[in-house]
Amino acid sequence: MSATVFLITGASSGFGKAIALEALRRGHKVIATARDASKLDQLKEAGAAVLDLDVAAGDESVAAAFQKAHAIYGRLTHVVNAAGYVLEGAIEESSQAEVAAIFATNVFGASATVRAAAPYLRQAVKQDGAQTAIASFGSMAWWEPTPAVALYCATKAADSMIMQGAALELKPFGIDAVTIEPGYFRTELLNSGTGVQRKITTAQTLDVYKNTPVEAVRNSLVAADNNQLGDVTKAARVIVDVLTRSGVAKGRSIPTRLVLGSDCVDKIRELMAETEKSIKEWEAVSRSTDHDQ
């Protein structure tokens, strides 16, 4: 049986690290990547190959990293893009450079990963009919823009659309594409300070946003840090099941969007109901804008 080979970006912490450990536990080959591969020592000790890969570095750099990764085992079957970060701050507080940086990692990085991965996944399918998949991370955040993190929400909305489009484009080649949409999970994403530095705060903080929803969200992120409902280890088991069509996913098709966490399920259902209510209220007005027949 041909090897199942995972390439995982953003594997130094959070979902990326948990998915890598779960895949290794099952005996799969794992190539773990991060901007600085020296932060991947734990995964290396667990049996992963490690590489430097900055998804925001541009097509040439990303393609070169994928070429090196492919050479390790001679194939890639599953690619998971877990690279990303939160930009905390009101839109007015954010500089154009900060906006460009978060889109470069969270959005352009996701599309660069699809571009780099697709040829290798096609090759694996063609060689031996391998079951292949590519995944990237959306978030509960894209379903409802939130003050103080609206730009992060925007990147997650873009990620979801990119992967839904990729699912349609890659399906004819036997490649599944999925957006993983978690609620609040207990990862390092909201950690701040030196070292992990997963929460990025805008350099400018305006007093005008005191006692507004922006300040309320800032405080809620601090309160939520390390107290999130979701268990990332449990989520990693489900993700690997889904991507390999095993365990809880055996006999099922890979969904275009994989929703994780009861908070995310509840939020989506709430927003679906609100959307249906709004459509009904405004339906006559909406339909009035058609050409007369």
Side-chain angles (χ1 to χ4, degrees), residues 99-110:
V99 176
I102 191 171
F103 270 80
T105 295
N106 292 11
V107 180
F108 305 151

Side-chain angles (χ1 to χ4, degrees), residues 134-139 142 156 159-164 177-182 255-259:
I134 182 168
S136 194
F137 275 80
S139 170
W142 89 266
K156 295 292 103 177
D159 283 344
S160 184
M161 293 300 103
I162 288 168
M163 294 308 293
Q164 287 183 61
V178 56
T179 308
I180 300 166
E181 298 191 339
T256 304
R257 295 199 300 265
L258 176 63
V259 176

Side-chain angles (χ1 to χ4, degrees), residues 144-178:
E144 184 177 41
T146 304
V149 288
L151 291 164
Y152 170 73
C153 296
T155 66
K156 295 292 103 177
D159 283 344
S160 184
M161 293 300 103
I162 288 168
M163 294 308 293
Q164 287 183 61
L168 297 172
E169 294 171 357
L170 298 177
K171 186 178 179 64
F173 306 111
I175 303 167
D176 290 301
V178 56

